Amino acid sequence: MTRTQRRPPSNRSPDTHPISDETTYNIIPLNNLQADHPSLRFPEVHAAIAALKAGDPDLPIPPYIQLQSNYDLLDWLGALFGFQHHNVLNQREHLVLHLANAQMRLQPLQDNILTLDPAVLSGFRVDLLRNYTHWCSFLGHNSCIQGTSRDLLYVALYLLIWGEAANLRFMPECICYIFHHMAEEMNKILVGSIDTNTGRLVLPTVSGENAFLNCIVKPIYCTVKAEVANSNNGTEPHLNWRNYDDINEYFWSRRCFENLKWPMEPGSDFFVTNRKRKRVGKMGFIEQRSFLNLLRCFDRLWTMLFLYLQAAIIVAWKDPNVLPWQSLKDKDVQEKLLSVFITWSSMRFLRALLDVMMQYKLVSREALWLGARMALKIIVSIVWIVVFATLFARIWSQKKKDLGVSDNYIKEVVIFITAALVFILPQVLAQVLFFLPVPSCLTQTTNWRIFYLITWWFQTKAFVGRGLREGWMDRMKYCMFWVVVLATKFYFSYFLQIKPMIQPTKDLLHHHSKVTSGWQHLFCKSNRFVVSLIWLPVVLIYLMDLQIWYSIYSSFVGAGVGLFSNLGEIRYMQQLRLRFQFFAGAIRYNLMPVEELVATSHLNIQSLWSMARDRVHQWCLRWCCLGIPLKKIESNQVQAYKFAAIWNEIVLNFRKEDIVSDEEVELLEMPQDTHNGSSVRIRWPCFLLYKELYLAVCQAKELGDAGDERLWHKIGKNVYRRCTVLETYDSVKNLLLKSILAERTQELSILENLFEEIDNSITNHKFTNTFNMSALPIIQEKLITLVDLLIIKSAEKDVKKVVSTLRGLYVFVVRDFFKPKGTMEKLKQDGLDPDSLFQNAVRLPNPNDDNFFRRARRLHSILTSPNILNNIPVNMEARRRLAFFSNSLFMNMPHAPRVEKMMAFSVLTPYYNEDVVYKKEQLLTENEDGVSILYYLKTVYADEWANFLQRMSPEELVTEEQLWTKNPNDLRLWASYRGQTLARTVRGMMNNYRVLQELNSLDAVSEKDIGEGATKFIHSRRPRLRHILQENLDDDTLTRGHKSGMELMKYTYVIACQMYGTQKAQRDPRAEDILYLMKENEALRVAFVDEVSTKHGMEYYSVLVKYDWNLEKEVEIYRVRLPGPLKLGEGKPENQNHALIFTRGDAVQTIDMNQDNYYEDALKMRNLLEEFKVTYGVHKPQILGVREHVFTGSVSSLAWFMSAQETSFVTLGQRVLANPLKIRFHYGHPDVFDRFWFLTRGGISKASRPINLSEDIFAGFNCTLRGGNVTHHEYIQVGKGRDVGLNQVSMFEAKVASGNGEQLLSRDVYRLGHMLDFFRMLSFFYTTVGFFFNTMMVTLAVYAFLWGQLYLALTGMENVVEGNSSTTNALTTVLNQQFLVQLGLLSVLPMIFENTLEFGFLTALWDFIIMQLQLSSVFYTFSVGTRSHYFGRTILHGGAKYRATGRGFVVHHTSFADNYRLYARSHFIKAIELGLILIVYVVYSPVTKGTLAYTALTLSSWFLVVSWIMAPFVFNPSGFDWLKTVNDYYDFMNWIQFRGIVFENPEQSWEKWWYEEQDHLRTTGVYGKCLEIILDLRFFYFQYGMVYKLGIAAGSKKIDAYLLSWIYMVVVLVAHLIIVYHCKKYSAREHTYYRLIQFAVSVLGILIIIVLMVFTQFKLLDLLTSLLVFLPTGWGVLLIAQLFRTILEKAKLWETVVSIARMYDMMFGMIVLAPVAALSWFPGSQSMQTRILFNEAFSRGLGYAKWLLKGKPKLKQRFQD
């Protein structure tokens, strides 16, 4: 029943213990078909039920099966194969709902609606089992689908298998394997086949209670579980265990039929999980942790880049001053260019070698062909290298022999070119097939052996990734895009990167003997190493700058696509006012269903004309309405009523959300007319009528002598003005005649005669002749005075003033308004004494008459036109939503069907343990500055807080304390709706249900019905349109149970509350809050995992519950037992997977717990679902991407930066990915999935740990690989919260970067990289893992540049290099590119274009300037470091994990120790390293003697250093507060000196944190350790380079000086060991002895220094220099020592390593804290930092200082000090 039909809950607390019996149901009471339930009134439901009951009349019933008399197909299947009873119940409702909804959508309607149409069932069977039939074809097995008579049995069997498969649902082909054999057994049972082994009728392999779970699901589940256990929580190398994909891909080969068999053999090697035994290993792919995956997955990209680099160098080398196309005419250049084929063949060899290195473990007895192909590829590539090298050598030899070009030379060239043509023939064929997709798709998708043989050399036989082709137009679009991008990149690279480097390279190579080195050479005495150092940053930027060009061009293209989509046409409320009159047509066209044309065998002229007219109307609505007025919806047209109903519901929903006030509701709504006989049927909102009456009066005054027709023509040209005049006249007339004068009085008769005379003059077109137009302004003023008195809502209203005002108005009208003017004497002669008029006739309305006061206030607004009309709604969020909604109506979208004919859908939200509703303690707990979350929200959302107080008590102002007493839940919900809570998400998603209720009511009645009921349609905050229609229209009008059953059949909301059962058992307040949400929302269901302890062990169940208003209890609907614990892989996808079986409908929308939905956007869900029927290119979509609005941008400047970055990605970024690039994936919620398509293909995410850490995008990968299509639609949006504090943002970006690092290892990325065409592959790379790789390349370029410059400075070779202007130009270009990326170009540029598109250029420019002033560049530079660190570390060592961000409000100060723990390894130490290089560089570089040159070379690097160190404190509340800085220092020292480790956490013990930071090193492989050692060796270079700069070196350049410097390291280490040893032994008990040891060591050190100064050239400055020399060396030794922990522990040296590491971290902490302390001490820093961080709040009249001072007396003095 609906909310309106429920009885209110009793005061007693409902029983929260779930109950489950046969009376409970989910949506349809299938267990009681005689119940009076709305859903049972639909004949389609009965048709589906009847089909299940009828089924196959000859169903054989084995003797062991006991069925009730009213059994159906699902009961028979459940009993036959041992499915769980609740699984049968769940899938029965699932199937009935889907078939009923599909039957409703049939067009034309069938004659017998009580019979299920065969087309519905056959279509569903084809869609559901399409993946199964493809699988059978792929393996060469015949499908078990026999005819169409058993369609319902096959569908039911598959759904029952899927519903009980638990974690096996992630393995779709495994389910196909199970279905295949069970369907085969079912077919044999149905035809009565005889078992050859027993001679009896065939019986199912498994049967009995829970037989399917125990005998089929559980063995495979246990195998998966054992493999997960082998993974050691995902830390073991992927080679050592099988994940979900490996086990699923086992069923891609015929081995599953040959080895596993049916019934499944327990002894099969498939079930063996012990690595020491023979078992099934990895299938199809092995994930190897290596950076070489980038080269292997995207080898075509790197081949292109390296070949062009080589060719460009060859062309430029001949003569850098000649244009490249001129150089190409040179014979020598042409000859040298042939060498690119040697490089090309070498790249192929490298690719083949990588395949062997990473995938050789796949070779087995069953896959010898794979090994053969690997070996052949290596052999062939080597042969090509030899062939090209030999031919190339022969060309040069022949030329040298002939002393020039000769016939023999030309023959050699021809031979080489012939070989090259043969070499590139496969690429040529690939391009031909690219433009001829039919043969290509035929070879890839057809399962003929001949095609396998043809494609065997190029790709592995795989079930997915075949036929990934797009239509002609789509291919042309993304090809043109990339051709332009590549042309720009190559042009830029040649002229600004490569060409300027040629001449200095030549100089260095040809004149190396003239350069004097400053030390002992480690390499040969040529300058090749110097050349490589100079080229290294150039090459790195060359390899990554395609990302920059992609970002630039995608911004242009995205803006263009958005422009042609009509985005940004309505940006502000003023534009909305100008175009509001088109809304009725737009809403009617887009949101109101159009009656479908009855399909006939022949299209008649009328239907064709209707279709053509619809297209013209659509075109006019899209384009002409914004410039050329089409037929406007006038206020007296009947269809405007539906528009008014929808508009008013939107406004009322705004009021419920407190983003508008009661006064604004009255000014925004469109009230229906309640005056009988009125000339106005629909009234425009007041905000559209600003100054319209005033302008009309002015026109009347000016054109009073022009006649009625002329005057009315001028007024009527403006529809708002005309309606304002009509409404004002009707309202004044009604006010005077029906509201304030008593009946049967003389005054009433007088006024009736007066208005009758006015009406007659208007009818006879004599109004201007009868009345004086110049008197209208005075009449308006007097009316304003009268209404001012009437709107005073008080029982003691002054009646005398009303009478006096009425009297004055009447006298003025009679005396001055008429022509000729009347006189007082004439009135007295007529028996009317003005002094006695209205004395006893006025009867003021009751103060409780809300309708009267509402009308009076509206009239007052029209008469006065207050300035507020031009500035409503005041709330910026309300303005934004109205502007977007109005703009979206003019965008292209499918027609909305009637509710009964729409596609049914569900929303699924995974929830773990986050906030549901904020508790009182959370809201009132104050931070260290006395600021609570509630106070923070009241300040940031001040206008919404005022609206909330008004809603709670419209008559009088209430205080916060009163609210906590009377309405605590409302107050908690108000705060929760402004955070990222489950309550906010539920409220938003339930808007879908409320919208369907309203739309269903509008669909159920005709326009005539609404027109007749208009007088009863008074929109206030109490009644709603749906309820009024139900009360005033007959039941026949509200057809077929539309009162409530339809909405539940079309929409279900399921929350996967994984921990709900545990929360209830622990009496967690979150469980009570979830129960409260279920009580308040009828369509809400909660799915959770229940753990039950039995004598046989722990049992696990997937449970679905709802709140039953009849029983006033939480009731249990379904309880499906699981084979074991839910979580085997990543938690979120496992949680979604278990709840997916309880969803319903054709589509499922995935919504995160930090999202919101808007009522006005929910109106367009019907349109969005129709997109599944539209073909985009050559495919219909399987995922509908929708736009997101990040609602957390106003919290702080940091939240604004993150919001802007995220907004540009979810709008412009995804717009370009969908069109024209055709490479959009699923990047997270709120995309809408084709539910049954994904149901049969592995679900809506992947769950293997840790490879699927970013689980969402793998659904998009899976969709694309399996031939699906992903689109993006921007006429609908969903709210989304983002992290608002720097620590939260960093953890989120760390998770995303780590997830992308794991993606790079996955089979999905590898297959997409090879099976997509070249241009889509480029789009794929640069929008996924390539973005993070190129971000890391920017950081590496900084390192390469600085280390290279340091090398040049220390060797003294910088003068030679920097003396060449070309080198400087090239390096400047590279540094500028790097600096642009560092400053956030990849994020900021799309943001600027998107803001320009949607808000205008000036607004976008202003926002950009403000962001720069708020140090957004610091934030983006800091983010570059975060992404680079975690992406690189994940690929190198692993360690990716989910990082909970908290999603809370950041109103507290983060301590220095917390910041150090989070950023020490990712930012601080790296920044200190780069800063140290810059300091040494400025000291020893001759170039830096000029300040400008040094600044130009190092500006970007210094900015990076400062950003990486200072960002955590700049964006930290009270980051530069002196007292907090002092406290942070002591807290940091206590933390770092704390010695405990066993029972402490990282927040308490430095040692515990230090060990956790090394976790990734404990599980890394040999490759990771070797590369880590190589990277750490850079720190030894400091010592080597600077030892020769010490005075004690005496100018020596021999290697001996470096070797002797290690004595210093040994001495320092020994001294440290002595002090540490005696500290542990004597510092506690014999402190004096410990001090003597310290003194002795110090004295010895001083003596050594004195001796060195006397007998050597040692200087005191060498002491400071030695720190720069040996501290980096010690850090490098420490990093390498961490890799050999086991060895050092055995050698008893590990404690020394720990103590040195503690010392280093203490030193690093002091270095980072020093600038923070300096800024904290400096006056004004804290105020400036606060303004930067909370500038958005300041701009809204707030301020952090007010938080501290207002109402916080105890903090005033501290703040002022």
Side-chain angles (χ1 to χ4, degrees), residues 165-168 171 213-214 216-230 242 244 247 270-274 1122-1125 1128:
N167 301 69
L168 274 58
M171 302 180 288
L213 177 70
N214 294 326
I216 305 298
V217 175
K218 203 163 187 176
I220 303 177
Y221 169 86
C222 290
T223 303
V224 178
K225 184 179 178 182
E227 294 288 353
V228 171
N230 290 337
R242 292 179 291 174
Y244 282 117
I247 295 177
F270 171 80
F271 296 110
V272 177
T273 58
N274 191 335
L1122 301 173
L1128 297 183

Side-chain angles (χ1 to χ4, degrees), residues 627-797:
I628 304 173
L630 55 92
K631 182 181 178 183
K632 301 174 184 177
I633 302 298
E634 301 291 353
S635 60
N636 59 354
Q637 292 180 332
V638 176
Q639 57 263 37
Y641 282 106
K642 287 188 177 183
F643 166 63
I646 292 176
W647 173 259
N648 287 333
E649 284 298 324
I650 292 173
V651 173
L652 292 177
N653 198 71
F654 279 9
R655 183 65 192 95
K656 287 174 60 178
E657 296 180 18
D658 295 318
I659 58 177
V660 295
S661 62
D662 289 344
E663 294 76 13
E664 289 177 305
V665 170
E666 295 178 2
L667 299 177
L668 287 169
E669 70 176 353
M670 295 179 64
Q672 296 273 349
D673 179 59
T674 57
H675 315 322
N676 293 328
S678 171
S679 59
V680 181
R681 301 297 299 273
I682 292 289
R683 301 176 181 235
W684 296 108
C686 281
F687 79 97
L688 298 175
L689 311 180
Y690 178 66
K691 297 291 186 182
E692 293 297 341
L693 184 62
Y694 169 78
L695 295 174
V697 169
C698 291
Q699 285 182 331
K701 187 176 179 180
E702 294 175 2
L703 302 174
D705 299 330
D708 286 15
E709 293 184 0
R710 172 67 175 164
L711 175 60
W712 189 243
H713 174 73
K714 293 290 289 183
I715 293 176
K717 288 175 68 175
N718 187 313
V719 64
Y720 299 144
R721 196 168 302 160
R722 177 174 60 83
C723 292
T724 300
V725 172
L726 294 175
E727 180 179 353
T728 304
Y729 177 72
D730 285 343
S731 298
V732 171
K733 182 179 179 180
N734 180 270
L735 177 73
L736 296 177
L737 298 183
K738 298 181 180 180
S739 298
I740 63 173
L741 293 181
E743 297 180 358
R744 300 176 183 177
T745 59
Q746 181 184 14
E747 288 82 352
L748 180 62
S749 300
I750 293 172
L751 291 184
E752 287 176 345
N753 293 333
L754 174 62
F755 281 105
E756 183 177 356
E757 186 171 353
I758 294 174
D759 291 339
N760 291 333
S761 66
I762 294 173
T763 304
N764 298 325
H765 304 288
K766 296 181 179 180
F767 184 75
T768 55
N769 296 329
T770 307
F771 299 99
N772 181 14
M773 298 296 99
S774 61
L776 287 176
I778 301 176
I779 294 176
Q780 181 181 1
E781 293 178 1
K782 292 184 176 294
L783 284 173
I784 291 174
T785 305
L786 175 63
V787 178
D788 277 336
L789 295 172
L790 293 177
I791 61 176
I792 300 175
K793 202 170 184 180
S794 173
E796 301 178 357
K797 190 179 298 183

Side-chain angles (χ1 to χ4, degrees), residues 28-30 33 40 44-54 72 96 99:
I28 303 177
L30 295 176
L33 299 180
L40 293 177
E44 292 84 357
V45 174
H46 288 279
I49 296 173
L52 291 179
K53 294 289 185 183
D72 60 13
V96 167
L99 295 176

Side-chain angles (χ1 to χ4, degrees), residues 164 167 188 521 646 712 744 796 814 1022 1058 1249 1299 1490 1668 1674:
E164 204 167 328
N167 301 69
K188 292 179 180 179
H521 279 287
I646 292 176
W712 189 243
R744 300 176 183 177
E796 301 178 357
V814 174
R1022 296 188 304 274
Q1058 178 180 342
R1249 180 182 292 181
L1668 301 179

Side-chain angles (χ1 to χ4, degrees), residues 435-453:
F435 290 100
L436 298 174
V438 174
S440 176
C441 290
L442 188 65
T443 59
Q444 293 184 27
T445 58
T446 305
N447 297 304
W448 294 350
R449 291 185 179 273
I450 183 63
F451 290 139
Y452 286 148
L453 293 176

Side-chain angles (χ1 to χ4, degrees), residues 501 504-505 508-509 527-536:
M501 295 293 295
T505 302
L508 284 170
L509 293 177
N527 292 331
R528 293 177 183 175
F529 184 69
V530 176
V531 170
S532 64
L533 287 178
I534 298 173
W535 272 90
L536 182 58

